[in-house]
Amino acid sequence: MRFWILTLNPGFFRGATDEGMIRIARQKGLLDVSVVAIRDFTDDRYGTTDDYPYGGGAGMVMKAEPILRANESVRRDAEAGTAAGGRPRVLVTTPQGRPFTQAWARELAQERGIVVLCGRYKGIDERVIPLLGAEEISIGDYVLSGGEPAAMVILDALARLIPGVLGDAESAEADSFSEPLLDAPVYTRPEDVSGQRVPEVLLSGDHERIRVWKRREALRRTWRRRPDLLLGRALCKEDQKLLDEIKKEEGR
Ligand code: 6GU
C-alpha cells in the first residue's frame, strides 16, 4: 500500500512513521509512506497556505490551490509508481467527517493507494472536497487542533491490516472489534504484583474453563463499559447465557 500524507506540519511525522507496526510494514516492503508538505506548493514568497474566511468569523481557512497542486503531484507520483495506475483514495481529516471504524479500516486496507489530507485551522476551503473527490473522516467526537494525529491513527489502523504485516501468531482476526466486543483482561509474570494476583483460572491449565472465563470477562467489560456494542445485537446461546449471569451479578 502507498500512503501519502498532505500536511502543513511535515515534522509531526518524523519519528512517528519509523516506529512499531508502521516500521515493520515499511521494512517488509508492504507499505510506503510519503509526507508531502503543502507549503512546497504555495506560489507566493511567503508560502501562504491560509487566508481569512469569506463572510467573516474566527480563524483561518486553508487555501485551495496549494492543496490542489500538492494532490496533482501525488497523482503523478501514484501513476509513476504503479503500471496499472488506479487513483488513490483521498481522505480529509475533520471533526465533521464520517466516523472512522474498524469496518472502514478493513475496507481501506484493501486499497493500493491512500491520500490523507490533514485539516488545520478553522478548516479547508470547501471546494477542495469535490475537486479531490475526497471523503471526510473523523476519528472521534472531540476536537484536535489539526488532523495530523488523526492521520497517524488511520495509518496505524490500516498498516496492521495489510496482509503479511502481522505474524501468524497475532492475526488481526481475534482482535477486539473484529467482532464488536472488548477484550478480556490479560496478565503476564509474575503471578503476584504488590499483592494483586493473576486470576486462578488462568493458572489452572484447564483450556475449556479458560476459554469460558475469557469470553465471560470480555462480555462483562463490554456490558460495563460499552453497552451500546451489545444492545440490539443477537448473541449466540452461550454468550446470551454468560451475559444473563453477568447482568445478575452486576445487578443491572
Ligand atoms: Cl479527523 N481531524 C481533526 N482536526 N479533529 C478531529 C478529527 C479529525 N477527528 C476528531 N477530531
Side-chain angles (χ1 to χ4, degrees), residues 94-172:
T94 159
Q96 277 73 242
R98 173 184 159 204
F100 185 49
T101 60
Q102 189 64 22
W104 198 2
R106 276 195 291 270
E107 186 198 322
L108 292 173
Q110 311 300 314
E111 298 283 340
R112 302 251 303 277
I114 303 236
V115 179
V116 177
L117 167 59
C118 302
R120 284 240 127 199
Y121 305 121
K122 274 302 286 174
I124 299 173
D125 188 315
E126 186 69 21
R127 293 166 293 187
V128 165
I129 308 293
L131 287 168
L132 296 188
E135 299 166 85
E136 293 172 272
I137 186 167
S138 165
I139 62 160
D141 290 339
Y142 39 79
V143 180
L144 303 173
S145 52
E148 283 77 10
M152 275 313 304
V153 166
I154 296 162
L155 176 55
D156 188 281
L158 299 193
R160 57 190 298 287
L161 295 176
I162 298 170
V165 171
L166 285 182
D168 297 336
E170 29 177 14
S171 153

Side-chain angles (χ1 to χ4, degrees), residues 148-213:
E148 283 77 10
M152 275 313 304
V153 166
I154 296 162
L155 176 55
D156 188 281
L158 299 193
R160 57 190 298 287
L161 295 176
I162 298 170
V165 171
L166 285 182
D168 297 336
E170 29 177 14
S171 153
E173 272 318 293
D175 285 345
S176 187
F177 287 102
S178 283
E179 144 185 84
L181 213 56
L182 305 186
D183 282 342
V186 293
Y187 304 85
T188 188
R189 289 184 289 183
E191 286 180 23
D192 188 302
V193 176
S194 304
Q196 294 246 14
R197 289 200 47 82
V198 174
E200 214 50 48
V201 53
L202 297 179
L203 308 173
S204 69
D206 181 338
H207 300 301
E208 178 57 13
R209 260 186 79 211
I210 292 171
R211 184 190 69 77
V212 173
W213 181 88

